[in-house]
Amino acid sequence: MSGYEAREAAWTKLEAHAADLAKTPLKALFEADAERTARFTKSAAGVTVDLSRQRLTGDTLKLFLDLAREADVSAKLAAMGKGEIVNPTEGRAALHVALRGSGSAVDARASVDRTRGEVKVFAHEIATGKRQGAGGPFKSIVHIGIGGSDLGPRFLYDALKRFRRPGMTMRFAANVDGAEIADALEGLDPATTLVVVVSKTFTTQETMANADAARAWLIAAIGEAKAKDHVVAVSAAPDRAKAWGAGAVFPFWDWVGGRYSLWSAVGLSCEIGLVDDAFQQLLDGAAAMDAHVFETPLPDNLAFRAACVQSLNRLYGMKTYALIPYGRRLQLLPAFLQQLEMESNGKGVDAEGRTLKRSSAAVTWGDAGTNAQHSFFQLLHQGRDVTPVEFLLIERGSEGPASHRNMLLANVLAQAQALYEGKTEAAAKQELLDKGETPKRAAELAPHRAFTGDRPSTMIGLDALTPKTLGALLAFYEHRTVLQAWLAGVNPFDQWGVELGKQMAAGLLPALQGDEVKNVDPATKAWVEKLR
Ligand code: F6P
C-alpha cells in the first residue's frame, strides 16, 4: 500500500467510526465514563482545552493516531522545527516557531536574533523619544498592511489594551476603501506620527494604496526629506520598500507566511505601542506552547487533540464552527483565526496535487460573547444544522465593574450547558403549564420552546489575559491548524486561492477608469458600465 493509500484507509476507518458514534448522545458518553471531563481536558502554557463535550471517545483518538502515523505527522512536525522544507509548492521552510526561539533551525537563528535586537532598539528609541519626528517625540503610529500583515497586530493591540504604552496612539489601515486610511489619519499630527508599512511582497494593492496616501499626507505637512524618518517598512522586498520611500526596513523572511508572521518584525508597531517587555512576553508564551507541542507525545498533545476534534466534526458533516470568545478584549480573535485556518487549510487538492475526497477545513466564524448570544445564538440552539461552538473564557482577572465578571462567566458556562443539555418538549410544556398557560396553548407553544441539546462545544480557558497567555493561545491555534492540514494531507503554508481575484482586479481597474471592457462575463460588464 502506498503512503497515500494508507492515509486514505485510515480516513475510511475514521469515517465509519464517526458514522457509528454520531448515533451516541453526548450524555451517554458522559454516563459511560465518570472521568470523561478530566480525560478530555488538558492544559499547557496557561491554556486549558476541555473537549469533553465533543462527540469523541478514546477509540476516536486511537484512530486519529493511526491516521497521524500514516500521514507522517510527527515527522512533519520535527521537520518544521528543524527548518526543513514543509511548504512543497513554494519550496520553503515554515519557520514561524524560530521567531519565538523554538525549534532547532540554526540557519535562521542569527538573522532572527539580529532582527529581534534591531526591532527592540528601534522601538525603545521611538518610545523614549531618542528617535524623534519633525515635531518632536512620536505620539502616534499608523500601521498599514492587510491580511497577515494586519490581523495579528490589530488583534493584539485591541486585546492588550491594559498593556498599551501611555501617550502612544495606534491606528490601523488595511482596507483599500479610502474611508479606512482617512479614518486612520484623522486628527493625527503628521509631525509626530510614525507610519509602519508591513507587506511581505511590498506589491499588495491595498497596502501600497494606503501607504502612498499616508506618505503623501506626511509629505504635504513636513516635506519629502523629513517624511523619510516617519516611514518604516517591514518587508521581504527591502529594495522595493526603500525605493518607495521607507527610511528604515526590517526584514520579513520568505520562510514565514503572512498569517504566521505576528512574531516577526510584523509586530514592530505592537512592540512600540505596548509597554516594554509585552511583546517579549508574547513570544515567551508562544515558545512555552511550542515546547508543549514539540515535546508532548501526540496522545496528550493539546494541539493534536484539538486538531482531531476539528477534523472529526467535518466528518459529522459540520461545515462550519463558531468561535465565541467571552468577551470584549478577544473580539478580533475570530477575524485572526479566519485567515489562519481558512487561508491555510481551505484547499481542494492535497500537497501532491490529488483532488481531496473530503473537506480539509471548516468555515471559521464568530463574534464576542455575550453580544453574539443576542444575535445568532438562536440558530446555534435551535437551527436544524448543528454547528460546533468553541467558547473561550478568561479565568482570572477582569476590567471595569467587578460585578460584571461573574455575569460574563455565568453566560459562557450557561451557553455550553444549554447546547449540551437542551430541553425536551415535555419539559417545555410543563414550564408553560406552571406559568398558567392552558393545556392547549402549552401544547402549541412547547415545540417552539424545546431544544434538541446534544450539541457539541469546546471550552477553552485562558489563565489570564496577558501577553504571555495570548502568545500561547495563538501558538496553540497555529499548531492546531498545521496539524489538521497534515492529517488532511494538505499544505497549510501556501495560499494560491487568493491569486485569481487579485489578477482579475488588476485587469478590471483600467476598465473602471474608462478603457474598453474586454474578456469579462456579461454580469461583470454590466457592473463596470454602471460604475464608471
Ligand atoms: O492575499 C493574501 C495575502 O497574500 C496573505 O497571505 C497575506 O497575509 C496578505 O495577502 C498580505 O500580503 P503582503 O504582506 O505581501 O502585503
Side-chain angles (χ1 to χ4, degrees):
M1 218 193 273
S2 70
Y4 169 67
E5 284 163 347
R7 194 178 80 210
E8 279 305 309
W11 271 112
T12 305
K13 280 192 192 153
L14 266 164
E15 276 163 350
H17 170 79
D20 215 29
L21 196 55
K23 297 172 205 138
T24 309
L26 291 171
K27 280 185 187 162
L29 297 177
F30 276 92
E31 279 156 19
D33 179 3
E35 302 300 313
R36 183 172 174 83
T37 305
R39 201 180 306 285
F40 288 106
T41 303
K42 295 249 172 261
S43 302
V47 180
T48 296
V49 181
D50 170 7
L51 301 170
S52 65
R53 278 175 287 199
Q54 293 285 354
R55 202 175 314 280
L56 84 162
T57 64
D59 285 347
T60 320
L61 283 180
K62 281 195 196 118
L63 287 168
F64 269 108
L65 287 168
D66 292 345
L67 170 62
R69 200 180 46 249
E70 302 306 348
D72 269 341
V73 164
S74 295
K76 286 191 169 119
L77 192 58
M80 184 176 86
K82 282 189 226 154
E84 291 170 11
I85 290 178
V86 288
N87 172 358
T89 60
E90 296 177 304
R92 291 175 184 162
L95 275 173
H96 46 287
V97 296
L99 294 166
R100 48 238 191 187
S102 305
S104 56
V106 274
D107 291 355
R109 175 73 38 236
S111 58
V112 166
D113 289 349
R114 189 173 54 249
T115 303
R116 179 88 198 99
E118 285 167 6
V119 163
K120 271 187 180 165
V121 168
F122 185 86
H124 187 73
E125 288 179 358
I126 297 282
T128 55
K130 188 168 175 204
R131 192 183 279 260
Q132 301 205 348
F138 287 104
K139 293 189 185 133
S140 37
I141 303 158
V142 176
H143 178 112
I144 295 174
I146 197 163
S149 296
D150 165 70
L151 291 164
R154 194 189 282 259
F155 162 67
L156 202 64
Y157 187 68
D158 193 53
L160 294 176
K161 183 157 189 235
R162 279 189 306 129
F163 295 83
R164 286 183 189 169
R165 192 181 293 282
M168 189 67 79
T169 302
M170 199 150 132
R171 305 259 182 95
F172 291 85
N175 201 317
V176 77
D177 182 339
E180 189 144 310
I181 188 69
D183 280 357
L185 299 178
E186 190 177 301
L188 298 185
D189 177 2
T192 55
T193 298
L194 180 73
V195 173
V196 179
V197 182
V198 181
S199 176
K200 184 169 170 177
T201 53
F202 226 75
T203 56
T204 303
Q205 185 199 50
E206 296 91 331
T207 301
M208 295 326 300
N210 283 333
D212 285 345
R215 189 164 167 269
W217 173 78
L218 288 171
I219 290 172
I222 57 177
E224 190 156 356
K226 287 192 179 140
K228 221 176 174 59
D229 297 334
H230 285 242
V231 188
V232 42
V234 179
S235 182
D239 294 344
R240 216 173 286 147
K242 279 198 189 122
W244 169 79
V249 185
F250 294 94
F252 190 154
W253 300 273
D254 266 356
W255 45 251
V256 61
R259 55 196 175 274
Y260 299 90
S261 68
L262 170 64
W263 327 100
S264 68
V266 167
L268 172 69
S269 46
C270 286
E271 182 93 50
I272 305 169
L274 299 175
V275 293
D276 283 349
D277 210 40
F279 201 79
Q280 186 56 48
Q281 291 284 321
L282 178 92
L283 300 183
D284 293 348
M289 183 55 77
D290 291 337
H292 166 79
V293 173
F294 280 116
E295 288 159 22
T296 310
L298 294 183
D300 290 318
N301 192 307
L302 215 61
F304 178 74
R305 289 163 76 105
C308 294
V309 165
Q310 296 292 96
S311 310
L312 178 67
N313 282 338
R314 297 197 306 275
L315 292 184
Y316 290 132
M318 296 165 183
K319 294 189 177 357
T320 84
Y321 87 96
L323 174 72
I324 316 291
Y326 281 69
R328 162 65 188 89
R329 293 281 176 246
L330 300 175
Q331 183 165 276
L332 299 183
L333 186 62
F336 174 83
L337 220 57
Q338 269 169 346
Q339 188 201 15
L340 180 61
E341 297 189 306
M342 291 161 76
E343 191 167 271
S344 294
N345 293 351
K347 305 286 167 65
V349 297
D350 72 9
E352 284 79 39
R354 302 179 201 94
T355 301
L356 291 174
K357 293 198 176 143
R358 59 194 73 72
S359 147
S360 55
V363 172
T364 307
W365 61 283
D367 199 356
T370 58
N371 306 24
Q373 290 172 206
H374 298 273
S375 140
F376 51 75
F377 266 50
Q378 165 64 40
L379 180 146
L380 297 180
H381 285 293
Q382 288 188 316
R384 291 287 294 168
D385 293 322
V386 174
T387 303
V389 182
E390 184 155 294
F391 295 102
L392 238 145
L393 59 82
I394 295 158
E395 295 178 27
R396 282 183 291 105
S398 63
E399 293 175 64
S403 57
H404 285 219
R405 174 182 181 266
N406 287 343
M407 285 192 252
L408 184 67
L409 293 176
N411 271 284
V412 59
L413 296 179
Q415 292 300 324
Q417 192 190 359
L419 288 167
Y420 168 77
E421 295 272 2
K423 187 190 284 182
T424 62
E425 205 172 308
K429 189 170 167 196
Q430 192 55 52
E431 269 183 20
L432 288 157
L433 291 171
D434 292 347
K435 280 188 191 147
E437 290 292 354
T438 64
K440 183 172 174 291
R441 190 69 183 139
E444 278 166 7
L445 290 178
H448 300 276
R449 302 200 177 200
F451 296 70
T452 59
D454 199 35
R455 297 187 173 213
S457 66
T458 292
M459 186 66 72
I460 298 186
L462 261 194
D463 271 3
L465 183 60
T466 65
K468 201 164 183 175
T469 56
L470 276 191
L473 180 72
L474 298 184
F476 160 77
Y477 279 128
E478 283 181 352
H479 289 299
R480 181 179 79 169
T481 302
V482 169
L483 291 170
Q484 261 189 91
W486 290 338
L487 288 171
V490 303
N491 174 7
F493 301 117
D494 64 10
Q495 61 283 322
W496 301 105
V498 298
E499 295 306 320
L500 183 59
K502 283 187 198 170
Q503 267 172 23
M504 289 186 170
L508 285 170
L509 194 54
L512 281 165
Q513 285 159 348
D515 280 11
E516 196 191 339
V517 196
K518 281 190 290 198
N519 302 328
V520 299
D521 65 276
T524 306
K525 184 166 193 282
W527 275 106
V528 169
E529 281 163 0
K530 190 170 189 312
L531 291 171
R532 68 185 181 184

